[in-house]
Amino acid sequence: MTTSTEISRDMMNFRLRHSILAIFPLLAACAHAPQPVADSAPVHGGKTNLEQIAEAPKLDLPNVALTDRLLYEFLLGDIAAQRNKPELAAHVYLDLAKTTRDPRVARRAAQLAYEARQFDAAVDAFKLWEELEPSSPLAKQMLLTLLLSGGKLQEARPYLDSVLQADPANAGRTFMSVYPLAARSTPDKSVVLDWTIEVTHPYPKVAEGHWAVAQAAAAAGKNDLAQAEIHEAVTLRPEWDAAAVFEAELYLNSDPQKGLALLKEFLDDHPDNKELRLFYARALLNQKQFSASRDQFERLLKSSPGSPDLAFAVALISMQMGEYDRAEQELKQALSGGGKEGNAVHFYLAQLNEARQNDAVALEEYRQVKGGEYAYAARLREIALLDKVGKYAEAREVLHGVVAKNDQQRVQLIMVDAQLLREDKKYQDSYQVLTQGLAKFPDNPELLYQTAMAADKLDKLELFEQLIRKLMKIAPDDAHAYNALGYSLLDRNMRIPEAMKLVEKAYQLAPDDAAIIDSMGWGNYLLGNLDKSLEFLKRAFAANPDPEIAAHLGEVLWKRGDKDGARKVWADSAKANPDNEALKAVMKRFLP
């Protein structure tokens, strides 16, 4: 690390090698031609800081003798800056500026402190520069910017007033610049609002001032004030599309029809504003006004006929409206345009064919999705379609080629793999996949539940209960965990009172879940409460005509003497689910 002592030693060697006559021009150059204070845009004026510095008027300079001490400090400051020691350079130059009262040195000190991100020193330097060179607009602008960025709104106020008074014609641009600085630096949005109202109040005819107040009011949750102020801005500048959009946005959540009407009114007056028309089209889409939204996208497409993105948007809306033939043509148009990513188009062509129940074509389209954001979803749909026709091995082959991007996807792939094996009746293999996954993600609630259910299927009752109780601790509001253990005990006719407490807890957490309602019905049946049992089971079956619920409902109907009702429930369910084991077992018991 280079210290000030080392820099001083270098300076002594420097002085031994060079005469004062060689050094003096260097100091003059440093004093007269400093670097720009910042490369950010000025508050107003349209010129860069460098341009403004270059055009600065000649100054009345102090008559200060170049003593050895000053020479030493100039050298110290410049060598520190050259050796990438901005804090030391800024400190030295600020001391020099206070000593010499030279505006050029103050300007250089302000630059160094700003670049070193020393807020307090930069404020002091800019204040000194502004004091020594009061005619410099850049000094005021940068000081104003610095104070606002530091959240010192009231301290910045007189400098803002000075900037506004010096250039009232550019007051609108100034308000557009200073409001974001104040908003970002001050957490209390009500403070920002009050300050913005105060500084813009003397300029009632400046639309940007009302825009700034509207922005501040919206951020502070004062929507009525925001709506009134932005409306005033639009009235003052009726051609200002950004203000028109903001006014519409303020209404789209609370009164969407008014927000849409405002956008339409502005578009009627400015029909060639493509950006606003695109915003209007999207706003209509968000309000599920699909036909009107598509009309707007089509108008944009007519003005840009080669845009695959617009054709793609029109196609997706047609899909949403169920107009699949039209959507297919529009998707193919988007695909032929070449600009829209082909992977996305193939994905939606696959979705379209799935909606048409044309699974073979859908499968081929999913396979055309080779990468991009839709690749993962396409592989899952490809696996699902193969699973649907019983091609479990092929589905697993596809699955094992999928590269997960995060732990959520890794867990999902583990569970899909286990499901494929389970549907292929390879229960032990399915259990093995889940236990291996659980070893990697021991506290994942979904994996805990699925592994527990696989253990239950293999009659590993102790492990099943252990996993479910761990899940209850991790996710105490998981209704399915309580239901799984409670129903497992009921199904085995074990610890019935405890099982009912678990099922009742699940029912409290999820009273509309059909599986849990079924468990309540079955538990009451085992307790001999047939009427209550029938009530629960009818509710469960109405919510979800699952074959296992049908098996339970039929059995209770039979026990209550309604054998015809039981036969009908079983027969109807068996027709729809001919391979269900629970249904076949109950029918075998009662209908030998």
Side-chain angles (χ1 to χ4, degrees):
M1 176 177 178
T2 305
T3 65
S4 59
T5 302
E6 291 172 330
I7 292 175
S8 299
R9 189 184 307 118
D10 288 342
M11 288 166 51
M12 292 180 67
N13 293 333
F14 185 87
R15 293 175 75 182
L16 288 173
R17 291 194 303 267
H18 300 275
S19 69
I20 292 294
L21 292 176
I23 296 173
F24 190 83
L26 172 65
L27 297 179
C30 290
H32 284 277
Q35 297 298 311
V37 172
D39 57 4
S40 59
V43 173
H44 69 270
K47 295 179 182 178
T48 66
N49 295 332
L50 181 60
E51 291 170 334
Q52 293 185 62
I53 288 174
E55 295 176 5
K58 291 187 178 182
L59 306 171
D60 292 329
L61 302 177
N63 185 15
V64 179
L66 185 62
T67 65
D68 286 347
R69 180 65 185 175
L70 286 179
L71 178 62
Y72 171 85
E73 290 187 357
F74 272 117
L75 285 169
L76 177 62
D78 283 338
I79 292 175
Q82 292 169 14
R83 293 202 169 191
N84 198 26
K85 299 293 176 183
E87 296 87 355
L88 177 58
H91 175 74
V92 170
Y93 259 91
L94 183 55
D95 282 347
L96 276 168
K98 292 176 180 178
T99 300
T100 65
R101 305 285 294 174
D102 189 318
R104 299 166 301 176
V105 181
R107 184 190 310 167
R108 176 67 168 158
Q111 172 197 359
L112 290 169
Y114 183 87
E115 291 175 350
R117 301 181 184 279
Q118 294 183 306
F119 177 80
D120 291 337
V123 169
D124 287 345
F126 277 111
K127 283 184 176 179
L128 182 58
W129 178 17
E130 195 273 337
E131 177 189 346
L132 297 174
E133 191 180 348
S135 63
S136 170
L138 181 58
K140 292 183 177 64
Q141 292 164 15
M142 290 303 300
L143 182 55
L144 171 60
T145 299
L146 195 63
L147 290 170
L148 289 176
S149 298
K152 297 181 178 295
L153 304 190
Q154 293 307 322
E155 192 174 342
R157 176 69 186 276
Y159 298 100
L160 175 57
D161 290 343
S162 178
V163 168
L164 290 167
Q165 290 165 12
D167 191 8
N170 276 311
R173 186 180 299 176
T174 300
F175 290 139
M176 294 286 285
S177 299
V178 300
Y179 167 72
L181 294 173
R184 283 196 299 267
S185 67
T186 309
D188 191 334
K189 301 308 176 186
S190 62
V191 169
V192 178
L193 174 59
D194 291 343
W195 181 85
T196 306
I197 291 173
E198 289 175 8
V199 299
T200 59
H201 182 71
Y203 301 88
K205 298 301 182 182
V206 176
E208 292 84 351
H210 294 283
W211 173 90
V213 175
Q215 294 280 344
K222 306 286 187 181
N223 287 337
D224 290 344
L225 176 60
Q227 289 167 355
E229 288 292 324
I230 198 62
H231 184 71
E232 185 65 22
V234 172
T235 302
L236 289 167
R237 280 187 60 188
E239 78 289 351
W240 190 11
D241 54 356
V245 166
F246 185 52
E247 183 178 20
E249 284 180 325
L250 290 175
Y251 284 101
L252 284 173
N253 288 329
S254 60
D255 188 354
Q257 293 311 309
K258 182 168 183 177
L260 292 173
L262 287 169
L263 288 171
K264 183 178 184 303
E265 181 181 349
F266 190 88
L267 267 175
D268 288 343
D269 293 334
H270 305 85
D272 295 330
N273 191 318
K274 293 182 181 179
E275 290 187 7
L276 190 69
R277 190 171 300 282
L278 181 60
F279 182 83
Y280 181 46
R282 288 171 175 166
L284 288 166
L285 186 60
N286 289 336
Q287 296 300 322
K288 302 188 184 305
Q289 296 189 26
F290 300 119
S291 180
S293 175
R294 185 172 63 182
D295 289 344
Q296 295 302 316
F297 275 113
E298 285 180 327
R299 286 191 62 170
L300 288 165
L301 187 57
K302 285 180 181 178
S303 62
S304 303
S307 170
D309 289 334
L310 291 172
F312 186 66
V314 171
L316 294 188
I317 296 173
S318 295
M319 280 184 64
Q320 188 71 43
M321 296 172 67
E323 297 180 10
Y324 298 130
D325 291 342
R326 174 173 174 167
E328 183 176 26
Q329 293 176 359
E330 291 160 346
L331 283 170
K332 288 179 177 178
Q333 178 185 349
L335 191 62
S336 65
K340 184 70 187 177
E341 184 187 3
N343 290 315
V345 179
H346 283 297
F347 180 83
Y348 281 103
L349 280 169
Q351 295 268 290
L352 184 150
N353 279 285
E354 269 204 88
R356 287 171 162 172
Q357 299 185 339
N358 194 347
D359 290 350
V361 176
L363 185 61
E364 290 306 312
E365 290 291 347
Y366 282 128
R367 286 171 172 165
Q368 293 297 315
V369 182
K370 305 296 186 183
E373 62 177 305
Y374 293 96
Y376 180 78
R379 295 294 80 77
L380 290 187
R381 292 310 308 155
E382 184 180 349
I383 291 164
L385 290 175
L386 291 169
D387 177 26
K388 187 176 178 179
V389 293
K391 294 183 178 181
Y392 306 117
E394 188 176 346
R396 293 191 71 217
E397 185 177 344
V398 173
L399 182 141
H400 293 158
V402 178
V403 178
K405 294 182 179 179
N406 51 53
D407 285 348
Q408 182 180 358
Q409 290 185 359
R410 291 182 187 95
V411 169
Q412 186 177 25
L413 293 176
I414 290 167
M415 293 195 296
V416 171
D417 197 11
Q419 179 184 341
L420 291 169
L421 289 165
R422 184 168 61 250
E423 292 181 4
D424 200 16
K425 302 189 185 307
K426 296 179 179 179
Y427 301 117
Q428 182 63 42
D429 291 343
S430 177
Y431 169 74
Q432 190 67 27
V433 165
L434 289 166
T435 54
Q436 290 172 355
L438 194 60
K440 296 177 183 177
F441 305 99
D443 294 328
N444 184 274
E446 294 175 285
L447 270 179
L448 275 169
Y449 181 80
Q450 293 297 334
T451 308
M453 300 308 292
D456 186 46
K457 183 75 174 177
L458 295 172
D459 288 327
K460 299 178 182 289
L461 304 184
E462 185 176 345
L463 177 60
F464 162 73
E465 185 167 348
Q466 177 186 341
L467 292 172
I468 286 294
R469 291 199 180 278
K470 181 179 179 180
L471 175 57
M472 290 176 184
K473 290 181 180 178
I474 291 174
D477 293 331
D478 190 330
H480 292 287
Y482 297 98
N483 185 61
L485 181 53
Y487 180 74
S488 179
L489 294 172
L490 291 175
D491 194 44
R492 292 178 171 85
N493 206 12
M494 296 168 54
R495 295 151 50 191
I496 302 300
E498 180 186 354
M500 280 304 296
K501 287 184 180 179
L502 290 165
V503 170
E504 286 167 353
K505 171 70 172 177
Y507 184 66
Q508 290 174 359
L509 292 168
D512 297 323
D513 188 287
I516 294 172
I517 298 170
D518 172 61
S519 297
M520 288 290 293
W522 191 243
N524 276 285
Y525 170 64
L526 295 177
L527 292 171
N529 303 325
L530 296 186
D531 290 344
K532 199 170 185 180
S533 170
L534 184 62
E535 179 186 341
F536 277 113
L537 290 171
K538 282 184 175 180
R539 275 184 59 205
F541 192 69
N544 179 19
D546 182 86
E548 292 192 26
I549 299 177
H552 292 158
L553 177 58
E555 184 165 342
V556 173
L557 287 169
W558 189 281
K559 290 292 186 180
R560 292 180 80 256
D562 187 1
K563 295 183 178 180
D564 289 340
R567 289 190 185 95
K568 183 174 185 339
V569 168
W570 288 334
D572 290 346
S573 187
K575 186 176 180 180
N577 307 277
D579 298 323
N580 185 267
E581 297 296 333
L583 193 58
K584 288 195 290 187
V586 75
M587 292 176 71
K588 185 176 180 180
R589 279 195 293 120
F590 289 96
L591 302 172

Coordinates of all heavy atoms in Angstrom, one line a residue, residues 358-393:
N358 N -54.9 -33.3 -30.6 CA -54.1 -33.9 -31.6 C -52.7 -34.1 -31.0 O -51.8 -33.4 -31.3 CB -54.1 -32.9 -32.8 CG -53.5 -33.6 -34.1 OD1 -53.0 -34.7 -34.0 ND2 -53.7 -33.0 -35.2
D359 N -52.6 -35.1 -30.2 CA -51.4 -35.3 -29.4 C -50.2 -35.7 -30.2 O -49.1 -35.3 -29.8 CB -51.7 -36.4 -28.3 CG -52.6 -35.9 -27.2 OD1 -53.0 -34.7 -27.2 OD2 -53.1 -36.8 -26.4
A360 N -50.4 -36.4 -31.3 CA -49.2 -36.8 -32.1 C -48.5 -35.6 -32.7 O -47.3 -35.5 -32.7 CB -49.7 -37.8 -33.2
V361 N -49.3 -34.7 -33.2 CA -48.7 -33.5 -33.8 C -48.1 -32.6 -32.7 O -47.1 -32.0 -32.9 CB -49.8 -32.7 -34.6 CG1 -49.2 -31.4 -35.1 CG2 -50.3 -33.5 -35.8
A362 N -48.8 -32.5 -31.6 CA -48.3 -31.8 -30.4 C -46.9 -32.3 -30.0 O -46.0 -31.5 -29.7 CB -49.3 -31.8 -29.3
L363 N -46.8 -33.6 -30.0 CA -45.6 -34.2 -29.5 C -44.4 -33.8 -30.5 O -43.3 -33.5 -30.0 CB -45.7 -35.7 -29.5 CG -44.5 -36.5 -29.0 CD1 -44.2 -36.1 -27.5 CD2 -44.8 -38.0 -29.1
E364 N -44.7 -33.8 -31.8 CA -43.7 -33.4 -32.7 C -43.3 -32.0 -32.6 O -42.1 -31.6 -32.8 CB -44.1 -33.8 -34.2 CG -44.2 -35.2 -34.5 CD -42.9 -36.0 -34.2 OE1 -41.8 -35.5 -34.6 OE2 -42.9 -37.0 -33.5
E365 N -44.3 -31.1 -32.3 CA -44.0 -29.7 -32.2 C -43.1 -29.5 -30.9 O -42.2 -28.7 -30.9 CB -45.3 -28.9 -32.1 CG -46.0 -28.8 -33.4 CD -45.3 -28.0 -34.5 OE1 -44.3 -27.3 -34.1 OE2 -45.7 -28.0 -35.7
Y366 N -43.5 -30.2 -29.8 CA -42.7 -30.0 -28.6 C -41.2 -30.4 -28.9 O -40.3 -29.8 -28.4 CB -43.2 -30.9 -27.5 CG -44.4 -30.3 -26.8 CD1 -45.6 -31.0 -26.6 CD2 -44.4 -28.9 -26.3 CE1 -46.7 -30.4 -26.0 CE2 -45.5 -28.4 -25.7 CZ -46.7 -29.1 -25.5 OH -47.8 -28.6 -24.9
R367 N -41.0 -31.4 -29.7 CA -39.7 -31.9 -30.0 C -38.9 -30.9 -30.8 O -37.7 -31.0 -30.9 CB -39.7 -33.3 -30.7 CG -40.1 -34.4 -29.7 CD -40.4 -35.7 -30.5 NE -40.5 -36.8 -29.5 CZ -41.0 -38.0 -29.8 NH1 -41.5 -38.2 -31.0 NH2 -41.1 -38.9 -28.9
Q368 N -39.6 -30.0 -31.5 CA -38.9 -28.9 -32.3 C -38.4 -27.8 -31.4 O -37.6 -27.0 -31.8 CB -39.9 -28.3 -33.3 CG -40.3 -29.3 -34.4 CD -39.2 -29.7 -35.2 OE1 -38.4 -28.9 -35.6 NE2 -39.1 -31.0 -35.5
V369 N -38.8 -27.8 -30.1 CA -38.3 -26.8 -29.2 C -36.9 -27.3 -28.7 O -36.8 -28.1 -27.8 CB -39.3 -26.6 -28.0 CG1 -38.8 -25.5 -27.1 CG2 -40.7 -26.2 -28.5
K370 N -35.9 -26.7 -29.2 CA -34.5 -27.2 -28.9 C -33.8 -26.4 -27.8 O -32.8 -26.9 -27.2 CB -33.7 -27.1 -30.2 CG -34.3 -27.8 -31.4 CD -34.3 -29.3 -31.2 CE -34.8 -30.0 -32.4 NZ -35.0 -31.5 -32.2
G371 N -34.3 -25.2 -27.5 CA -33.6 -24.4 -26.5 C -34.5 -23.2 -26.1 O -35.6 -23.1 -26.5
G372 N -33.9 -22.3 -25.3 CA -34.6 -21.1 -25.0 C -35.5 -21.3 -23.7 O -35.4 -22.3 -23.1
E373 N -36.3 -20.3 -23.4 CA -37.0 -20.3 -22.2 C -38.1 -21.3 -22.1 O -38.6 -21.7 -21.1 CB -37.6 -18.9 -21.9 CG -38.6 -18.4 -23.0 CD -39.3 -17.1 -22.7 OE1 -39.8 -17.0 -21.6 OE2 -39.2 -16.2 -23.5
Y374 N -38.5 -21.9 -23.3 CA -39.6 -22.8 -23.3 C -39.1 -24.3 -23.3 O -39.9 -25.2 -23.3 CB -40.5 -22.6 -24.5 CG -41.3 -21.3 -24.5 CD1 -40.8 -20.2 -25.1 CD2 -42.5 -21.2 -23.8 CE1 -41.5 -19.0 -25.1 CE2 -43.2 -20.0 -23.7 CZ -42.7 -18.9 -24.4 OH -43.3 -17.7 -24.3
A375 N -37.8 -24.5 -23.4 CA -37.3 -25.8 -23.5 C -37.7 -26.7 -22.4 O -38.1 -27.9 -22.6 CB -35.8 -25.8 -23.7
Y376 N -37.6 -26.3 -21.1 CA -37.9 -27.1 -20.0 C -39.4 -27.5 -20.0 O -39.7 -28.7 -19.8 CB -37.5 -26.4 -18.7 CG -37.8 -27.1 -17.4 CD1 -36.9 -28.1 -17.0 CD2 -38.9 -26.8 -16.7 CE1 -37.2 -28.9 -15.9 CE2 -39.2 -27.6 -15.5 CZ -38.3 -28.6 -15.1 OH -38.6 -29.3 -14.0
A377 N -40.2 -26.5 -20.2 CA -41.7 -26.8 -20.2 C -42.0 -27.8 -21.4 O -42.9 -28.6 -21.2 CB -42.5 -25.5 -20.3
A378 N -41.3 -27.6 -22.5 CA -41.6 -28.5 -23.6 C -41.2 -29.9 -23.3 O -41.9 -30.9 -23.7 CB -40.8 -28.0 -24.9
R379 N -40.1 -30.1 -22.6 CA -39.7 -31.5 -22.3 C -40.7 -32.1 -21.3 O -41.0 -33.3 -21.4 CB -38.3 -31.5 -21.6 CG -37.1 -31.0 -22.5 CD -36.8 -32.0 -23.6 NE -37.7 -31.8 -24.8 CZ -37.6 -30.8 -25.6 NH1 -36.7 -29.8 -25.5 NH2 -38.5 -30.7 -26.6
L380 N -41.2 -31.3 -20.4 CA -42.2 -31.9 -19.4 C -43.5 -32.3 -20.2 O -44.1 -33.3 -19.9 CB -42.5 -30.9 -18.3 CG -41.4 -30.6 -17.3 CD1 -41.9 -29.7 -16.2 CD2 -40.8 -31.9 -16.7
R381 N -43.9 -31.5 -21.1 CA -45.1 -31.8 -21.9 C -44.8 -33.0 -22.8 O -45.7 -33.9 -23.0 CB -45.5 -30.6 -22.7 CG -46.1 -29.4 -22.0 CD -47.1 -29.8 -20.9 NE -48.2 -30.6 -21.5 CZ -48.9 -31.5 -20.8 NH1 -48.7 -31.7 -19.5 NH2 -49.9 -32.1 -21.4
E382 N -43.6 -33.1 -23.3 CA -43.3 -34.3 -24.1 C -43.4 -35.5 -23.3 O -43.9 -36.6 -23.7 CB -41.9 -34.1 -24.7 CG -41.4 -35.2 -25.6 CD -40.0 -35.0 -26.1 OE1 -39.4 -33.9 -25.9 OE2 -39.4 -35.9 -26.7
I383 N -42.8 -35.5 -22.1 CA -42.9 -36.6 -21.1 C -44.3 -37.0 -20.8 O -44.7 -38.1 -20.7 CB -42.1 -36.3 -19.9 CG1 -40.6 -36.2 -20.2 CG2 -42.3 -37.3 -18.8 CD1 -39.8 -35.5 -19.1
A384 N -45.1 -35.9 -20.5 CA -46.5 -36.2 -20.2 C -47.3 -36.9 -21.3 O -48.1 -37.8 -21.1 CB -47.2 -34.8 -19.8
L385 N -47.0 -36.5 -22.5 CA -47.7 -37.1 -23.7 C -47.3 -38.5 -23.9 O -48.1 -39.4 -24.2 CB -47.5 -36.3 -25.0 CG -48.2 -34.9 -25.0 CD1 -47.8 -34.1 -26.2 CD2 -49.7 -35.0 -24.9
L386 N -46.0 -38.8 -23.6 CA -45.6 -40.2 -23.7 C -46.1 -41.0 -22.6 O -46.5 -42.2 -22.8 CB -44.0 -40.2 -23.7 CG -43.3 -39.7 -24.9 CD1 -41.8 -39.5 -24.6 CD2 -43.5 -40.6 -26.1
D387 N -46.2 -40.4 -21.4 CA -46.8 -41.1 -20.3 C -48.3 -41.4 -20.5 O -48.8 -42.5 -20.2 CB -46.7 -40.2 -19.0 CG -47.3 -40.8 -17.8 OD1 -47.4 -42.0 -17.7 OD2 -47.7 -40.0 -16.9
K388 N -49.0 -40.5 -21.2 CA -50.4 -40.7 -21.5 C -50.7 -41.9 -22.3 O -51.7 -42.6 -22.1 CB -50.9 -39.4 -22.2 CG -52.4 -39.3 -22.4 CD -52.7 -38.0 -23.1 CE -54.2 -37.9 -23.4 NZ -54.5 -36.6 -24.0
V389 N -49.8 -42.3 -23.2 CA -50.0 -43.5 -24.0 C -49.2 -44.7 -23.5 O -49.0 -45.7 -24.2 CB -49.6 -43.2 -25.5 CG1 -50.6 -42.2 -26.0 CG2 -48.2 -42.7 -25.6
G390 N -48.7 -44.6 -22.3 CA -48.0 -45.7 -21.7 C -46.6 -46.0 -22.1 O -46.1 -47.1 -21.8
K391 N -46.0 -45.0 -22.7 CA -44.6 -45.2 -23.1 C -43.6 -44.7 -22.0 O -42.9 -43.7 -22.2 CB -44.3 -44.4 -24.5 CG -45.1 -45.0 -25.6 CD -44.8 -44.3 -26.9 CE -45.5 -44.9 -28.1 NZ -45.2 -44.2 -29.4
Y392 N -43.7 -45.5 -20.9 CA -43.0 -45.0 -19.7 C -41.4 -45.0 -19.9 O -40.8 -44.1 -19.5 CB -43.3 -45.9 -18.5 CG -44.8 -46.0 -18.3 CD1 -45.5 -47.2 -18.4 CD2 -45.6 -44.9 -18.0 CE1 -46.8 -47.3 -18.3 CE2 -47.0 -45.0 -17.8 CZ -47.6 -46.2 -17.9 OH -48.9 -46.3 -17.8
A393 N -40.9 -46.0 -20.5 CA -39.5 -46.1 -20.7 C -39.0 -44.9 -21.6 O -37.9 -44.3 -21.3 CB -39.1 -47.4 -21.3

